Each structure stands twice: as structure tokens, then as C-alpha cells.
Amino acid sequence: MKSFAALFLALVFSLNTFADTVSEKEKNALIKLYYATNGSQWKINWDLSQPVSTWYGVRTEKGKVKSLALSDNNLQGELPQEFFELVNLVTIDLHKNNLRGQLSNSVSNFRELESLNISNNQFTGVIPTAICDLKKLKDLELFKNDISGEIPAEIGKLNQLEILCLFENKIEGTLPVSLYKISTLKILLLNDNKLSGSLSSDVLNFNDLENLSLCNNSFEGSIPKEIEKLSNLSEMNLSYNKFKGSASRKMILLDALNMTMLDENGNLFLLDVNEEGKSENSILN
């Protein structure tokens, strides 16, 4: 009986070990990432002689690498091309490190990805159009980098996206028409960029939107009154743009800076409260 129990335990152990063993390709991709980002200097580094499942920030499931959580861990350098061979990843969190370089079009390999956070690094270049192929993506956070160029026109293909945070970059151009088609958005933070153009009345499609920040850009025209119909919106900041006209008291109170705008000469003014019938803007001293 004892020998049977020992045999059973050995079998269970071997099955668990097998299930926990990732492919050589994925293990190699992680090792390439480790060396490319100065792994020996990470705050918490990996013992490469141990199973992958024991490595800090790595979660495996049924022999596949599913999650990589290495935020604030002193990663330095560029992501190696092999990194994009981790095709089973569902979550990537590399925020608050010292990563640089451009995000490769190979990001499209991450077909299972639901969350990508590489914010607060030193990434440059543009947002690759290939990122719009990640149909399962719900959370995209690229804020506090040095990203330039425009928001991809195909961004609307991310029809499950709930969080889009691109603030504090150098992104320019207008908001893509397709962006307004993402009805699942809950958080849209695009402040502190170089965006321009008008805000469409199609903002009404953002049924679930809770937080909207477009401040410190160069948006112009009037603020669409459809914003008032967004019943879930609890935080908003449209200030420090070039919007003109008036806004309702409800919108002004919702805005963190009370709709403080910039005129053509760079002077600050407050938008009128249209409920009170005012017709002149108030210049701030």
C-alpha cells in the first residue's frame, strides 16, 4: 500500500512539473529579455537555473507564459525581438522602468493580450498600427513616454477597449473617427499632448465613459453638448485648449479647472455659462 501511495505521489509530482514546464522558445524569449534589460541590475532578478514559474513577475499556466509583471524593477534598455514571441501573454506590465526604443510592429503577435502597460518609460517613435490588431485588448497604457506621431486611424478596431491612457507624450493630429466607435471605453486620458481639431458630437457613443481628460492640447471649436448625456461620466478635464463658446454649469462644475481655455494670444479665459445667458468670455488676470 505504501509503495502504491509513493507511486501515486511521484506521478502527481511529475504531472505538475510537466504542466509547469514552458516551451524552450518561451523560456529563451524570457532569457533574452533578462539580458537585454540588464537583468543582473533589476531590483528583483531571476535565478535562471530555477523553473520559469519561480521567476519574479512571471505567471505560467498549463506550460504557457500568461503574465509578465515587472513594473518598477529597474529594467533598462530595449525590448529584444524575441520578447514578441511570448504569444500567449494575457497581461504585460512593464511600467515605471527605464525602457527605451520603439514599440515594434511585432506587438501584433500578442493575440491573447488583454492588458498592455508600458507607461512611465522612455519609449519613442509612433504607436504602431499593428497594435490595433489586438482584438482582446481591454487596457492600453502608454502614458509618460516620448511617443510622437498620430493615434492610429484603425484604433476603433479595439472594440473591447476600456482604458486608453496616452497622456504626457508628444502625440499630434486629430482624434480618429474610429475612436468614437469604442463604446466600451471607461477611461480616456489624452491630456498633455499636441492633439488638435474638434471634438465630435459622436462622443455620445461613449456610453460607459467615467473619466475623460483632454486638457493641455490644442483642441478647438465648441464643446459638444452631448457630453452632458454621458451619465457615467464623473471626472473630466477639457481645460487649457482653444475651445470657444459656452458650456453648461453642469459641464463647468465637472471640469477640474472650470473650463479654463487659451485664446489665440495665449491668454487664459473661462468659458461662459450658457444657462445664465452670458455672451462675453471672462479674461483671467
Side-chain angles (χ1 to χ4, degrees), residues 33-226:
L33 173 68
Y34 183 79
Y35 285 118
T37 58
N38 203 13
S40 62
Q41 298 302 310
W42 290 2
K43 292 181 180 179
I44 304 176
N45 55 27
W46 293 340
D47 183 347
L48 301 183
S49 67
Q50 296 299 311
V52 170
S53 61
T54 68
W55 296 358
Y56 172 74
V58 178
R59 181 176 66 82
T60 63
E61 183 180 316
K62 296 181 179 179
K64 298 177 180 179
V65 179
K66 290 290 189 175
S67 177
L68 191 61
L70 295 171
S71 63
D72 195 16
N73 201 40
N74 198 36
L75 276 68
Q76 304 174 40
E78 299 187 18
L79 296 176
Q81 189 60 34
E82 291 84 357
F83 172 71
F84 300 96
E85 295 176 2
L86 295 167
V87 297
N88 297 300
L89 281 169
V90 175
T91 303
I92 298 174
D93 186 358
L94 302 176
H95 85 271
K96 199 176 181 182
N97 282 293
N98 293 297
L99 295 169
R100 60 179 187 273
Q102 300 184 25
L103 190 58
S104 169
N105 273 309
S106 296
V107 70
S108 62
N109 293 346
F110 297 137
R111 298 289 179 171
E112 301 300 315
L113 200 64
E114 295 180 6
S115 178
L116 174 61
N117 188 345
I118 57 170
S119 61
N120 210 341
N121 279 286
Q122 301 169 31
F123 285 103
T124 56
V126 302
I127 301 172
T129 301
I131 211 166
C132 302
D133 293 329
L134 306 181
K135 300 297 181 62
K136 296 184 179 182
L137 201 61
K138 295 180 180 179
D139 181 358
L140 178 58
E141 302 185 47
L142 310 180
F143 62 88
K144 290 189 177 181
N145 278 290
D146 201 22
I147 296 170
S148 56
E150 300 185 3
I151 299 174
E154 299 89 345
I155 192 75
K157 291 166 64 178
L158 301 178
N159 57 16
Q160 295 189 46
L161 199 63
E162 297 179 1
I163 299 172
L164 179 60
C165 297
L166 306 178
F167 62 89
E168 291 189 35
N169 279 292
K170 296 179 181 178
I171 301 170
E172 57 189 11
T174 59
L175 296 184
V177 173
S178 71
L179 177 66
Y180 297 100
K181 297 180 180 179
I182 310 178
S183 60
T184 52
L185 274 175
K186 294 181 179 180
I187 298 175
L188 179 59
L189 307 181
L190 305 177
N191 52 282
D192 296 280
N193 277 293
K194 298 180 179 181
L195 293 164
S196 58
S198 60
L199 191 58
S200 171
S201 59
D202 288 337
V203 69
L204 183 62
N205 295 332
F206 295 145
N207 301 312
D208 297 331
L209 198 64
E210 300 171 2
N211 190 347
L212 171 65
S213 183
L214 305 178
C215 73
N216 202 17
N217 280 289
S218 295
F219 289 108
E220 54 190 10
S222 59
I223 297 174
K225 57 186 178 182
E226 284 78 6

